[in-house]
Amino acid sequence: MSDLAPPAPEAVPATLRGGRADVPGGPVRELLEPRETALGGNTVVRRLLPNLGRRMVGAWCFVDHYGPDDIADEPGMQVPPHPHMGLQTVSWLHEGSVLHRDSLGSLQTVRARELGLMTSGRAISHSEESPRPHARLLHGAQLWVALPDAHRHTEPRFEHHPDLPVVTADGLHGTVILGTVDGATSPGTVHTPLVGVDLTLREGSSARVPVEPDFEYAVLTMAGLTEVDGVRLEPGSMLYLGSGRRELPLRALTDGSLLLLGGEPFDEKIVMWWNFIGRSNEDIARARADWMTSDRFGTVHGYAGARVPAPALPATPLKARGRVR
Ligand code: MN
């Protein structure tokens, strides 16, 4: 073998970061269709990740958009105690608020544009409910971030960050949820290079948001009619953008708001089932059994209702899958 020959693949050290193999080498514009799913209470959500053929954007692996719903005469969100493993949950609201309880004893109201960040690590359980009394409207997104192998067994933790950094430009107001945008960094703990920013645009305005060429990105339209990289978007739609950009052009046809999610492509294969993320069928089966028969996931106190039993495991063993398939 000459000195110029590339190293054999097995000689390349495994990496927990990066990996562009399955990422389009440049910008793409791929519209992801939402799938309607019923949650607890009367809440119907539109699931955008995982999606057919697109399972992750960076470490972002789950995106539900809900509302705006008029819940004046309704209980609103009522999600009884349930477990999580191997991920972080991000509660993000535009209207209304959610009362979070968890097995660490946290009791926290998360209001619009405040960050409720729960790191499940090896095990946590929580409930989420609309407080009583509550505002008329409920509108938000529920997001999950997959934890890398080195951090997925970490101790569980809940963070509430009511004052997040903002970035502004003419007609644009951005709130940095996680990561860094234009030098402004969220206090939320992250375990892989990623970013989440809430962008509010005034009708008729245009902006160019600086982005990382090595990150892949997607935008979720929360409200209004916008154009992202020339593609017209309506509320509730998600556009996958690929990578390779240094800035992202935005235009507001009406007042509007977008969530921009991005990150270094997640290079590990994961098994995502129910509320758990593991690396194997055994990880998931053990977590399920532990939720049903042990106190591994702790106890949520104060929720008026029973905890959620785990569904049956599928007949065929779950397989670890990558971010695309
Ligand atoms: Mn949850």
Side-chain angles (χ1 to χ4, degrees), residues 82 84 89 126 128:
H82 60 278
H84 284 293
T89 64
H126 74 146
E128 293 158 295

Side-chain angles (χ1 to χ4, degrees), residues 25 29 54 60 103 107-108 110 117 188 210 218 234 261 297:
R29 299 167 195 87
R54 179 67 52 195
W60 299 99
S103 52
L107 176 64
Q108 181 65 55
V110 180
L117 176 64
E234 298 190 350
L261 306 174
F297 292 91

Side-chain angles (χ1 to χ4, degrees), residues 22 68 77 83 107 221 230 265 296 302:
D22 299 335
M77 183 183 292
L107 176 64
T221 313
R296 169 177 165 186

Side-chain angles (χ1 to χ4, degrees), residues 62 79-84 87 89 91 100 118 124-128 142 144 275:
F62 183 93
V79 184
H82 60 278
H84 284 293
L87 56 89
T89 64
S91 302
H100 163 96
M118 187 178 78
I124 199 169
S125 54
H126 74 146
S127 64
E128 293 158 295
Q142 178 72 23
W144 295 358
N275 295 306

